[in-house]
Amino acid sequence: MTSRQRLTLLGATGSIGASTLDVLARHPQRFELVAVTGHSRVAPMAALCSAHRPRWAVMSLPEGAEALRVSLRGTPGADTEVLCGPAALEQVACLDEVDVVMAAIVGAAGLPSALAAARAGKRVLLANKEALVMAGRVFLEAARVGGGLLLPVDSEHNAIMQCLPPDFAGDLRAAGVRRLVLTASGGPLRQWPLESLATVTPAQACAHPNWVMGRKISVDSATMMNKGLEVIEASWLFGARAGEIDVVIHPQSVIHSMVEYLDGSVIAQMGNPDMRTPIAHALGFPERIESGVRPLDFLSLGALSFEQPDRVRFPCLRLAYEALASGGTAPAILNAANEVAVARFLDGELSFTGIASLIEKVLERLPAAPVAQLNDVLAADRAARDLALGLGGGA
Ligand code: NAD
Ligand code: MG
């Protein structure tokens, strides 16, 4: 390799952001961090900027940006330029000097910057699954026109990519694939008594047995909406129909997903549950690089088990399959309603079981429309948010 790859890390202060920084720190000769973005918390951004000395840092609001500037003034040698607002997110995602963009902002807020990076032909490492769920067609078209590589960081999709032939070009049938099998841990509530689900607290919903993640995706894992969003994500990334994507609960989270071929072969990707593996895979691709992840110790693993997801316990999974089948703006409506419902649950305004009921109400009231352009998606997102905010907690 001749020169270092230059990188923008969108969502640097989050869980994926931290794992990415950890992998980058193992390869100073290979990568240079050019830009980082955060949201409202100044202290972690200040720490990150003094440790990594990026050229650019973005905060969401002017107050946050000013506080970061003040804090960095005390750091000798720091010449980070601090910007703010959504336009700045897009700006650092498209910088001429940047080769690679890690898209790790959570939720719909991450769509415009990830899309801008794809359009600009950057190598996009996509953790922000919501972007594809909302705007799959628009996103893939932008990546195609931009001419850069789109590499999935979500562990299941990264696993599937590793299990598909290296020359896979988007046609599962041509590749001899019968189905994709997404594994799911089942989250912290897999074995809770059904009748007590209504009283689950945010802390209980966020206590994931295998992964440490941001709060929104942790709640999504507890409702299994995360898997639902991933089914939609997989349909876009791999050109799969709903009937070609199965979900199986695998509580140990060792097999990250599988591809079943026509001849009966099933190829699985395995490893310890640690996001540094898919992050390092996407960063190094097509080479393999060190991630810091502990080797998988088969002898201490014990049994690997599998179960069918319980459709009564996890109605969000059904809602996601239905939204995929409806197509058009339905996945964007599902995603927006889910974001509002999760935020209301975390704020103590909605019960855990109220999350699925609220999303279902919004989907019933807002019919899906075709998606011709990004504005169609953004309008559906807004309408679904307004409706989800207005509906009572009992939904
Ligand atoms: P997180 O909550 O830990 O971090 C989110 C990041 O987004 C933070 O840097 C935050 O500052 C930023 N952010 C939040 N709201 C923003 C806004 N309105 N504008 C700009 N920036 C904003 O989340 P995470 O767990 O790191 O997840 C990030 C993304 O990666 C999500 O889309 C998630 O679904 C996906 N993902 C995460 C994991 C995981 O293990 N954490 C695994 C697979 C996929
Ligand atoms: Mg995942």
Side-chain angles (χ1 to χ4, degrees):
M1 200 176 26
T2 49
S3 62
R4 293 201 296 172
Q5 292 179 51
R6 287 149 304 175
L7 194 121
T8 288
L9 176 48
L10 303 167
T13 50
S15 159
I16 293 288
S19 295
T20 304
L21 290 170
D22 183 280
V23 177
L24 292 177
R26 294 165 196 276
H27 303 280
Q29 309 306 325
R30 197 172 175 122
F31 300 105
E32 178 189 345
L33 190 60
V34 173
V36 293
T37 81
H39 184 41
S40 53
R41 292 182 311 136
V42 175
M45 274 296 270
L48 217 146
C49 291
S50 10
H52 300 275
R53 307 288 169 96
R55 176 77 192 81
W56 309 91
V58 180
M59 297 295 286
S60 287
L61 296 173
E63 305 85 88
E66 192 44 36
L68 181 59
R69 276 184 210 110
V70 169
S71 158
L72 289 179
R73 246 172 241 149
T75 313
D79 63 349
T80 301
E81 192 159 331
V82 182
L83 307 172
C84 74
L89 292 178
E90 292 185 52
Q91 184 187 334
V92 297
C94 303
L95 292 167
D96 281 344
E97 69 259 42
V98 161
D99 310 296
V100 183
V101 174
M102 165 63 85
I105 291 175
V106 61
L111 171 63
S113 49
L115 191 58
R119 232 180 241 134
K122 306 300 183 194
R123 168 182 285 215
V124 179
L125 279 41
L126 190 69
N128 176 247
K129 66 193 84 189
E130 294 92 345
L132 268 189
V133 169
M134 294 171 70
R137 189 181 306 285
V138 176
F139 200 95
L140 293 185
E141 179 60 12
R144 194 189 61 75
V145 172
L149 259 186
L150 175 62
L151 295 166
V153 169
D154 211 350
S155 58
E156 296 75 5
H157 307 75
N158 184 271
I160 288 171
M161 180 188 163
Q162 295 193 48
C163 298
L164 285 169
D167 61 354
F168 178 70
D171 186 341
L172 288 176
R173 275 132 325 259
V177 172
R178 187 185 285 147
R179 63 174 180 144
L180 309 178
V181 182
L182 296 183
T183 52
S185 68
L189 308 176
R190 181 173 62 95
Q191 293 176 316
W192 271 55
L194 275 180
E195 58 283 3
S196 57
L197 282 183
T199 63
V200 165
T201 64
Q204 288 164 333
C206 289
H208 198 280
N210 306 339
W211 302 93
V212 180
M213 309 181 286
R215 279 163 73 77
K216 190 262 178 183
I217 184 175
S218 296
V219 176
D220 284 350
S221 298
T223 59
M224 279 192 81
M225 178 57 93
N226 183 49
K227 211 50 52 180
L229 299 177
E230 290 181 355
V231 167
I232 301 172
E233 181 186 12
S235 77
W236 287 113
L237 283 171
F238 307 114
R241 295 186 299 254
E244 294 170 319
I245 310 170
D246 282 341
V247 171
V248 63
I249 290 189
H250 165 48
Q252 297 80 16
S253 299
V254 167
I255 295 179
H256 300 308
S257 278
M258 306 179 252
V259 175
E260 182 183 285
Y261 288 87
L262 290 174
D263 61 6
S265 299
V266 177
I267 302 187
Q269 186 263 357
M270 305 170 79
N272 279 312
D274 187 322
M275 287 306 292
R276 289 176 300 174
T277 294
I279 290 168
H281 175 266
L283 278 171
F285 184 83
E287 290 170 33
R288 296 277 179 173
I289 62 173
E290 282 285 347
S291 65
V293 174
R294 234 167 3 97
L296 187 59
D297 177 3
F298 284 96
L299 301 183
S300 65
L301 266 188
L304 299 184
S305 59
F306 304 93
E307 334 167 343
Q308 178 94 12
D310 175 344
R311 297 258 163 165
V312 176
R313 182 180 298 272
F314 299 116
C316 285
L317 192 54
R318 167 179 57 81
L319 294 175
Y321 268 104
E322 287 170 5
L324 175 59
S326 304
T329 52
I333 294 168
L334 171 93
N335 178 68
N338 180 55
E339 285 190 26
V340 172
V342 170
R344 291 182 63 180
F345 166 68
L346 288 172
D347 286 346
E349 250 187 64
L350 195 66
S351 70
F352 181 77
T353 44
I355 296 174
S357 328
L358 182 60
I359 300 166
E360 185 151 28
K361 274 274 169 329
V362 172
L363 283 163
E364 277 165 11
R365 295 199 192 173
L366 290 180
V371 172
Q373 50 178 338
L374 184 62
N375 274 341
D376 301 328
V377 171
L378 299 179
D381 176 85
R382 252 190 321 271
R385 268 169 216 276
D386 289 348
L387 185 53
L389 280 167
L391 286 171

